[in-house]
Amino acid sequence: MRLWDKKGAELAVLRGHEDWVWSVTFSPDGEQIASASGDRTVRLWDKKGAELAVLRGHEDRVWSVTFSPDGEQIASASSDRTVRLWRVETLDDLLVRGCDWLRDYLHTHPHVSDINKFCAGDLD
């Protein structure tokens, strides 16, 4: 998959899908790109072409993908006769969710400093 500017200059090549790409869409803020493929995945990219996430769960080709108007969800449609909704998370969102998951462990193991430095402010 290739990304072009308005004048036709190639900006990036997005590599990773293992089958045809059927649908591509930009997030509402223009910072991310979602793609749907026959390889049964939806992939999320930044606008420089770096792969951010691979969304797996469909059992057949994914034909269509779109962002919600607020950019916080992605909807995908597949030949498996399902539509799936995916939450778009930032690194901060993932860290908060990970710290929530690790909260009990961190309270009983404060010596785990590598994790604790990321979650210390979240443990109050």
Side-chain angles (χ1 to χ4, degrees):
M1 191 167 66
R2 296 176 189 270
L3 186 62
W4 309 85
D5 71 11
K6 290 190 245 181
K7 295 181 180 180
E10 185 177 287
L11 299 174
V13 178
L14 290 70
R15 299 185 194 280
H17 281 297
E18 297 173 7
D19 202 337
W20 292 93
V21 175
W22 296 106
S23 179
V24 177
T25 186
F26 277 90
S27 61
D29 66 4
E31 295 297 314
Q32 296 177 342
I33 302 163
S35 57
S37 172
D39 66 9
R40 303 182 306 191
T41 67
V42 172
R43 293 181 188 251
L44 191 61
W45 316 82
D46 69 16
K47 64 183 181 180
K48 293 181 181 179
E51 186 178 88
L52 302 173
V54 180
L55 308 177
R56 291 182 173 88
H58 283 293
E59 297 174 7
D60 205 343
R61 292 179 184 104
V62 184
W63 293 103
S64 181
V65 64
T66 190
F67 280 90
S68 62
D70 63 8
E72 293 184 10
Q73 293 183 337
I74 294 173
S76 58
S78 169
S79 292
D80 66 11
R81 299 182 180 156
T82 65
V83 172
R84 293 185 179 259
L85 295 177
W86 312 87
R87 182 172 40 180
V88 178
E89 295 181 302
T90 64
L91 179 57
D92 288 340
D93 295 333
L94 292 171
L95 285 172
V96 167
R97 198 156 53 97
C99 290
D100 286 345
W101 186 70
L102 292 170
R103 185 177 311 279
D104 290 336
Y105 179 81
L106 293 173
H107 277 298
T108 57
H109 297 84
H111 61 282
V112 183
S113 61
D114 286 346
I115 297 172
N116 222 359
K117 70 182 175 184
F118 293 109
C119 299
D122 191 43
L123 294 175
D124 301 330

